[in-house]
Structure formats: C-alpha cells, structure tokens
Amino acid sequence: MTDVIVVGGGVAGLVAARDLAKGGVHVTLLEADAALGGMVQKHTLAGIDLDLAAESFATRGDHVRRLAIELGLGNELVEPDKRGAWVMTKDRRVAPLPAAGLLGIPSTPMAADVIAVVGTSGAVRAQMDSLLPATVGAKAATLGELVRRRMGQQVLDDLVVPVAGGVHSTHPDQLDLDRVVPGLRAALLREGSLARAVVAQRAKAPAGSAVGGIRGGISRLVDELAADMETYHVDVRLGMRAVRIDAHEVDAAPTDPATGRPGPVERLHADAVLSTVADPGRQADERVDGIELVTLVVDQPELDAAPRGTGMLVHPDASGIGAKALTHATVKWAWLADAAGGRHVLRLSYALAPRDGSDAHGAGSALAVDPSSELAASAVEDAAALLGVPLRAEEHLVAADRVRWRAPDRRGADLAAGVVGIGEVSVGRGLAGVVAASRTSAERILDD
Ligand SMILES: Cc1cc2nc3c(=O)[nH]c(=O)nc-3n(C[C@H](O)[C@H](O)[C@H](O)COP(=O)(O)OP(=O)(O)OC[C@H]3O[C@@H](n4cnc5c(N)ncnc54)[C@H](O)[C@@H]3O)c2cc1C
C-alpha cells in the first residue's frame, strides 16, 4: 500500500487526505493545532453558531458545491441574499456595488450603477477602455496597474480598491494579476477591451450567484470531512507540528497544548508528501499580514430593512472609519436570520499592521469582547456610520467577539523539491481554488 503524508488539516489537507484514502492510499495527516479545519472554523456568539473566517465559497468551477454534495450536504447549499453589497468610497459616498463586475472592474463603465459610484468623469475615463488598443496594460504585473491603465484611477480607487482589497486584504497594486484573476490578461487580448474581458470571464462562471453558502455555516464542510477521516481510516495526528518537510520524509513534533513547547521529534516516511504549509525551515523573516474580525450581535429593528444590503466594502482611507468591510450576515444568509431570532449579526473586518514572524500562520480563536470596552464602542460606531442607522453599544449591543488571522504574504510556498504544494500558500486564497488543487493533486498521485 502506498503511504502518503499530508501536512496541515485545513480544508486543503482534509480534501486531499480524503480523496487519497478513498483511492486506497494509507494517509497520515499531521495537524499542528488541537482541532481540524484551519481557517474554516466556527464560534458561538449570543448562542448563535457562526463561521469564524470563511463564510461563503466562490461558485466558479463548481468545485465546492460538488464536494459538498459528495459530503451529503447537497440539500444544505444556499445562495446569499440577492440585494448584494454596497461600497463606501474614500470620500465616504455610499452606493450599491455595480452589478456584473469582476473584483470591482465594471463590465459596462457607463451603466447608471457605475456612474453612481465613480461619477460621470470617472465613468467616461473608464469607457475609454473600449477605444484603447488591446495591448495597453496587457503586460501589467498587478491588478492595480491593469485597471489604472485601461479604466483610470477613479475606477481603481472607488471600486477595485474596496472590492479586491476586501477579498484579498491587499491593495490591487500588490495583487499579482494572473494569480487573482487567471485568464483575464488573455481575455483582454482576445476581446480587445477590459470591459469585454470581464464579460467573457463572468460568462464562464455558472449561472446564478457568484458565491454560495451552506445552511448552518461553511464549517459544516469540515465536520463532514473530519468524519470521513474515520470512515476512510486516515491516521489523523492532531497536535503534531511538522518541523522539516521533505519529498519522502517529515520530521514532526508533538506540541504541548498548555505551553506550546515542542516534544521529541518523530521521523515519518512516505512515498509522497503533500503540504499545505510552507517548509518550516524556510519561512523566517517573512512579512505577515493580518486581519481582525469583530462580530457584533445587535438588537436594532431598523436593521431589518437591510439598509446596505448584505454589507459594505470600504475604501481603506475612508475618513473616520476603521473597518475595511462589514458583512450584514443576517441579511446575507436567511438561515442565519432564522437562527438569530430577530437580532442582527454584523461582522467588521480590520486590517492589522504587518509584522514579522513565522509563528502566526494558522487558526485564530475567538475572544469575547466586553460590550462596555472601547473596542466594542468603536466597532459599533463604525457599524452605525457604515449602515446609516443609529447604534450605541450600551443600548443595542447584545454580544461581541473578535478573532485575529495572520497569514504569510507569499506568492507560492517555498517547499523542498518533490513536496507537492497544496492549499492557500501554494494556490492562493479561497476555498474554490484550494479544493480544486487538492483534488487534482490527489488524482495525480492515485494515477501514478
Ligand atoms: C478571515 C478570512 C475570511 C475568509 N473568507 C473566505 C470566504 O468567504 N470564502 C473563501 O472561499 N475563502 C475564504 N477565506 C480563505 C479560505 O478560508 C482559505 O483559503 C482556506 O480555508 C485555506 O485552507 P488551507 O487548508 O490551505 O489552509 P489552512 O486552513 O490555513 O490550513 C492549514 C493547516 O495547517 C496547520 N499547520 C500549520 N503549520 C503546520 C505545521 N508546521 N505542521 C502541521 N500543521 C500545520 C494549521 O494549523 C492549519 O490547520 C478566508 C480566510 C480568512 C482568514
């Protein structure tokens, strides 16, 4: 029997381990944490179960939906509320996010909903995209450069910065074009304009909503995957941190959950090694970006009207607002509104200052926030400003918590030769891509 080691028990590792074990491979799954799931976890606030990080998945490629069906969650797949999200520009103008865009890039620059955000002059400049030769911007390294050259600074600032920044926690000038929108460059050259390229890219997505969810939360995927680890006899080693990862050998050490101190190193051998984490020996001195999510449960009937649809994406320099996005989760997901019994769940995201260090990748855990604290007060103040509804912590806040996520800012994991890189560090952010890549890698190993 073939032996495979999978390093990391997030969604990427779980999916690969499941497919391999189903195919008859003996799999050992190493997870440094005490629980499986990585960035897909849940927390409970005011008695409501909520996703702690990922709360939806891109329907692109149909990978997550198919996996969910295989895992018996087919009847639990849901679509978000159709009202969609809003955007707040740098000068604090608010408007619904234009329909039919791609990471904020409009497909019809002169559409009324685009003009409402970028103004007439911004839209006219963006429309020039249709007159420029296809080669203009076609060599752009970043998403920001492409949009600036084709559609101008206003569209970049008012739409792409808040939208792409909200998804990737980074300014578009730092986002590698081919990584965040694979195929867009080729579509530009083929279609002759960026707007038409956006239309072409969107046409490739399945009909219906661009994102999907699961009734009860995305974490149900992990519950089912974890159950399958038993069904398919995967040897799951929780609390085991890989300290050296090679093509056929992994050194791992148990971690004392109380002190975090590593125990004696154990050497494991395998025919193949798949890793969702960068080589621990090679990840010193990297920049680590972070995001803090503050979740509020509030009691304010004026929010029933969904004043900003499913939430807001915020320009990072919008004056007086600390949050860069707000999800009105009880509007976005009907199942959550039912679970919340008339209360509202708001999730605000804050960018954390980058810091150096290699300790921080992996799961965060939720910490309760005292409703009378300064943090609660400023999050409630942000929510009020973003939603345009009066909110005061002492009057409306039922409960709050926060979680910090940090992830290395890297373009592909630095792995030893022969190690198969899977997961976010190798293939980029988002469950759709992560699931697809794990399945492809598992299939290749099974074919071999
Ligand atoms: C706040 C936030 C919101 C998000 N929202 C969405 C969303 O709505 N939709 C979406 O599609 N995606 C979203 N994502 C991204 C998505 O969650 C991730 O891309 C995906 O879950 C990554 O899975 P992974 O298995 O590659 O990594 P991880 O989930 O990070 O799993 C890696 C695992 O490896 C473990 N590990 C680390 N080092 C070692 C070691 N040395 N030895 C052994 N184990 C180790 C970690 O503990 C962890 O469990 C979000 C991410 C964040 C942070």
Side-chain angles (χ1 to χ4, degrees):
M1 199 186 220
T2 309
D3 276 305
V4 172
I5 296 171
V6 177
V7 182
V11 167
L14 288 165
V15 168
R18 177 179 183 272
D19 283 1
L20 287 164
K22 257 184 99 174
V25 168
H26 176 255
V27 183
T28 304
L29 178 70
L30 302 176
E31 168 53 53
D33 214 349
L36 295 169
M39 294 185 211
V40 178
Q41 289 190 40
K42 68 176 175 222
H43 62 140
T44 305
L45 188 61
I48 310 166
D49 284 342
L50 299 161
D51 282 312
L52 195 52
E55 46 91 62
S56 64
F57 55 84
T59 51
R60 157 177 55 86
D62 212 26
H63 308 290
V64 183
R65 193 185 69 93
R66 271 187 279 143
L67 174 70
I69 292 169
E70 273 180 49
L71 293 169
L73 294 171
N75 289 331
E76 310 297 312
L77 290 162
V78 290
E79 286 195 1
D81 189 271
K82 299 257 181 301
R83 278 169 281 191
W86 287 46
V87 67
M88 178 181 270
T89 61
K90 196 166 17 180
D91 51 2
R92 288 184 63 153
R93 284 174 293 115
V94 296
L97 203 58
L102 187 70
L103 282 181
I105 310 170
S107 57
T108 314
M110 292 304 288
D113 57 4
V114 177
I115 294 174
V117 182
V118 303
T120 310
S121 60
V124 168
R125 166 62 188 89
Q127 183 64 32
M128 275 173 60
D129 161 60
S130 64
L131 306 173
L132 296 171
T135 47
V136 173
K139 289 195 176 142
T142 66
L143 179 67
E145 188 187 343
L146 173 75
V147 175
R148 192 180 287 108
R149 296 205 59 194
R150 300 282 330 172
M151 292 193 172
Q153 190 68 32
Q154 197 81 34
V155 160
L156 176 62
D157 254 351
D158 289 353
L159 284 170
V160 183
V161 167
V163 178
V167 176
H168 293 282
S169 315
T170 314
H171 190 281
D173 282 339
Q174 257 89 54
L175 290 173
D176 181 299
L177 177 60
D178 298 319
R179 195 171 155 90
V180 293
V181 227
L184 187 63
R185 185 194 306 278
L188 163 65
L189 288 167
R190 198 177 58 241
E191 303 290 331
S193 78
L194 182 55
R196 282 201 294 275
V198 167
V199 174
Q201 289 294 100
R202 283 182 58 98
K204 285 202 288 188
S209 176
V211 296
I214 295 175
R215 190 177 294 113
I218 293 292
S219 63
R220 291 187 68 190
L221 277 181
V222 168
D223 297 342
E224 297 303 329
L225 286 164
D228 275 3
M229 295 302 104
E230 279 192 38
T231 309
Y232 297 114
H233 309 294
V234 173
D235 183 7
V236 176
R237 313 276 300 269
L238 293 176
M240 278 296 265
R241 178 174 292 278
V243 291
R244 191 181 61 87
I245 304 170
D246 238 319
H248 300 288
E249 224 173 58
V250 176
D251 288 347
T255 315
D256 184 324
T259 63
R261 263 193 230 116
V265 170
E266 187 181 334
R267 180 153 296 174
L268 302 158
H269 300 273
D271 300 299
V273 173
L274 278 70
S275 182
T276 67
V277 306
D279 189 327
R282 300 175 181 218
Q283 61 181 41
D285 299 335
E286 69 193 358
R287 221 172 80 107
V288 176
D289 280 333
I291 181 175
E292 179 162 64
L293 301 178
V294 178
T295 305
L296 309 175
V297 175
V298 297
D299 207 342
Q300 164 53 298
E302 284 186 44
L303 291 174
D304 296 351
R308 301 288 186 257
T310 57
M312 297 228 50
L313 293 159
V314 187
H315 193 288
D317 301 329
S319 60
I321 307 277
K324 66 186 191 65
L326 176 149
T327 305
H328 194 160
T330 32
V331 170
K332 188 167 181 182
W333 306 111
W335 64 265
L336 191 53
D338 291 344
R343 297 164 297 173
H344 287 268
V345 177
L346 309 173
R347 182 162 94 164
L348 296 115
S349 331
Y350 294 85
L352 292 173
R355 71 145 201 244
D356 290 330
S358 55
D359 59 330
H361 184 43
S365 46
L367 297 173
V369 171
D370 179 352
S372 62
S373 65
E374 226 171 86
L375 179 77
S378 73
V380 169
E381 208 176 291
D382 275 357
L386 291 171
L387 294 164
V389 161
L391 281 172
R392 277 174 302 279
E394 57 290 0
E395 196 178 334
H396 302 107
L397 185 60
V398 179
D401 72 8
R402 68 185 172 93
V403 59
R404 289 182 164 193
W405 295 96
R406 288 192 182 269
D409 171 34
R410 50 171 63 249
R411 310 273 174 267
D414 194 3
L415 291 166
V419 177
V420 181
I422 54 171
E424 179 173 310
V425 291
S426 288
V427 302
R429 169 145 289 192
L431 294 166
V434 158
V435 167
S438 286
R439 304 206 97 170
T440 308
S441 298
E443 207 177 297
R444 264 193 217 128
I445 290 176
L446 291 173
D447 283 351
D448 285 351

